[in-house]
């Protein structure tokens, strides 16, 4: 590492994985261990499976992500409003690539974390406001162990399509290439949320796009760092058709 561990933690605490606004569900009172919550999670998991299975899929792989054996692990980058069926898609089309997702440590992230685990992925809890530094360290350990990591770099609260600095810093410190990912649907609904969250209509077509791998260059100045941030943001937006 270029910086001592303590310096790294202090620096990451000043970064953002996406500018965060207070969640309207921040006061949501859900006990993840309660019977009612477990029933809700089980129902949500089955519903997502059934919903996903109605879609017709096409995979557009512009990198070696589908190849076996796995030669190197990657840091996946997906816009937040495409998040709904990504666990199902990755488990179906790249089952040979184990991984973990970064999910907010807030209460409203509890359900998402449990659903992600049910699809067979590990979870790292954290954001800039909660456990940011420890999450960064854990993500680096996941990458070092040969597993992939998935981040929504404009989450958890936006602005939509604005890439936070944290993913660039993580890529520089871990040395892992970034795999831009996108999902496009032939027909969908849009939620009334900050990112116009996408809900595919049943029986529509889903195109899963794995863009070319992007390797983040080392930087010495804020201007150089910003250039790398913009380069990744542009690469991700180049895959987006419906905004």
């Amino acid at each position: 590492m270029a910086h001592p561990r303590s310096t790294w933690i202090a620096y990451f605490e000043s970064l953002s994985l996406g500018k965060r606004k207070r969640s309207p569900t921040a006061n949501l009172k859900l006990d993840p261990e309660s019977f009612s919550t477990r029933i809700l999670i089980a129902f949500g998991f089955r519903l997502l499976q059934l919903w996903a299975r109605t879609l017709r899929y096409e995979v557009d792989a512009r990198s070696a992500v589908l190849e076996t054996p796995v030669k190197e692990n990657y840091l996946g980058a997906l816009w937040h409003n495409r998040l709904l069926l990504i666990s199902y898609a990755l488990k179906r089309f790249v089952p040979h690539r184990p991984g973990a997702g970064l999910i907010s440590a807030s209460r409203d992230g509890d359900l998402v974390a449990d659903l992600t685990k049910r699809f067979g992925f590990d979870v790292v809890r954290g954001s800039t406001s909660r456990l940011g530094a420890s999450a960064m360290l854990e993500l680096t350990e996941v990458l070092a162990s040969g597993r992939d990591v998935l981040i929504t770099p404009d989450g958890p609260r936006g602005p939509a399509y604005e890439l936070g600095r944290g993913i660039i810093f993580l890529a520089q410190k871990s040395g892992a290439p970034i795999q831009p990912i996108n999902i496009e649907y032939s027909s969908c609904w849009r939620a009334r949320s900050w990112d116009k969250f996408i809900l595919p209509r049943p029986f529509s077509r889903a195109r899963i796009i794995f863009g070319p791998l992007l390797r983040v260059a080392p930087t010495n100045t804020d201007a150089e760092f910003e250039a790398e941030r913009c380069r990744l943001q542009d690469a991700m937006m180049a895959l987006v058709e419906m905004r």
Side-chain angles (χ1 to χ4, degrees), residues 59-65 74-79 82 86 90 149-153 163 167-168 171 176-183 207-216 228-240:
V59 178
D60 180 358
R62 306 172 192 179
S63 70
V65 63
Y74 64 68
L75 177 55
L78 174 79
W79 294 125
R82 265 78 172 169
I86 188 60
L90 293 177
V149 162
L150 179 68
I151 289 179
T152 54
L163 190 126
I167 189 171
I168 300 297
I178 296 177
Q179 172 64 78
I181 304 172
N182 184 38
I183 305 180
R207 184 156 59 95
I208 304 164
I209 307 170
F210 296 96
L213 287 180
L214 185 146
R215 297 184 185 275
V216 175
E228 289 300 294
R229 191 197 68 82
C230 291
R231 187 164 70 94
L232 175 57
Q233 181 171 289
D234 290 345
M236 292 183 65
M237 291 307 298
L239 307 181
V240 173

Side-chain angles (χ1 to χ4, degrees), residues 5-227:
R5 183 183 180 94
S6 59
T7 304
W8 176 11
I9 292 175
Y11 180 58
F12 179 68
E13 286 175 337
S14 70
L15 296 179
S16 173
L17 293 174
K19 296 180 181 177
R20 182 179 176 87
K21 301 175 184 177
R22 183 171 179 81
S23 169
T25 57
N27 295 321
L28 183 64
K29 302 299 183 183
L30 285 175
D31 179 3
E33 301 301 323
S34 71
F35 177 76
S36 59
T37 300
R38 291 200 300 269
I39 292 296
L40 178 62
I41 291 170
F43 175 77
F45 177 65
R46 294 302 180 190
L47 178 62
L48 279 177
Q49 284 186 313
L50 291 172
W51 192 347
R53 288 171 181 168
T54 68
L55 304 182
R56 294 167 289 165
Y57 293 92
E58 172 189 348
V59 178
D60 180 358
R62 306 172 192 179
S63 70
V65 63
L66 300 183
E67 295 181 3
T68 55
V70 175
K71 296 180 181 178
E72 63 179 344
N73 58 308
Y74 64 68
L75 177 55
L78 174 79
W79 294 125
H80 188 275
N81 61 12
R82 265 78 172 169
L83 189 58
L84 182 65
L85 299 181
I86 188 60
S87 293
Y88 175 88
L90 293 177
K91 183 57 63 174
R92 175 171 174 176
F93 296 106
V94 285
H96 56 290
R97 304 193 68 107
L102 178 66
I103 297 174
S104 171
S106 62
R107 273 189 175 272
D108 47 309
D110 290 344
L111 294 177
V112 179
D114 205 318
L115 285 171
T116 301
K117 291 176 183 177
R118 286 172 180 256
F119 277 104
F121 294 99
D122 295 328
V123 167
V124 175
R125 304 301 301 274
S127 66
T128 53
S129 61
R130 301 188 184 190
L131 306 179
S134 61
M136 172 66 90
L137 295 175
E138 191 173 350
L139 289 170
T140 303
E141 291 171 358
V142 170
L143 289 164
S145 71
R147 292 174 291 161
D148 299 328
V149 162
L150 179 68
I151 289 179
T152 54
D154 59 341
R157 297 302 304 167
Y161 303 129
E162 183 172 316
L163 190 126
R165 292 161 56 90
I167 189 171
I168 300 297
F169 186 68
L170 178 58
Q172 289 178 326
K173 295 306 172 185
S174 67
I178 296 177
Q179 172 64 78
I181 304 172
N182 184 38
I183 305 180
E184 294 286 328
Y185 300 103
S186 61
S187 182
C188 67
W189 296 290
R190 305 299 289 260
R192 294 181 180 179
S193 60
W194 61 269
D195 61 350
K196 297 181 181 179
F197 197 83
I198 296 173
L199 305 165
R201 295 179 187 270
F203 309 106
S204 60
R205 293 187 304 276
R207 184 156 59 95
I208 304 164
I209 307 170
F210 296 96
L213 287 180
L214 185 146
R215 297 184 185 275
V216 175
T219 56
N220 296 311
T221 66
D222 288 342
E224 290 175 349
F225 192 97
E226 177 63 11

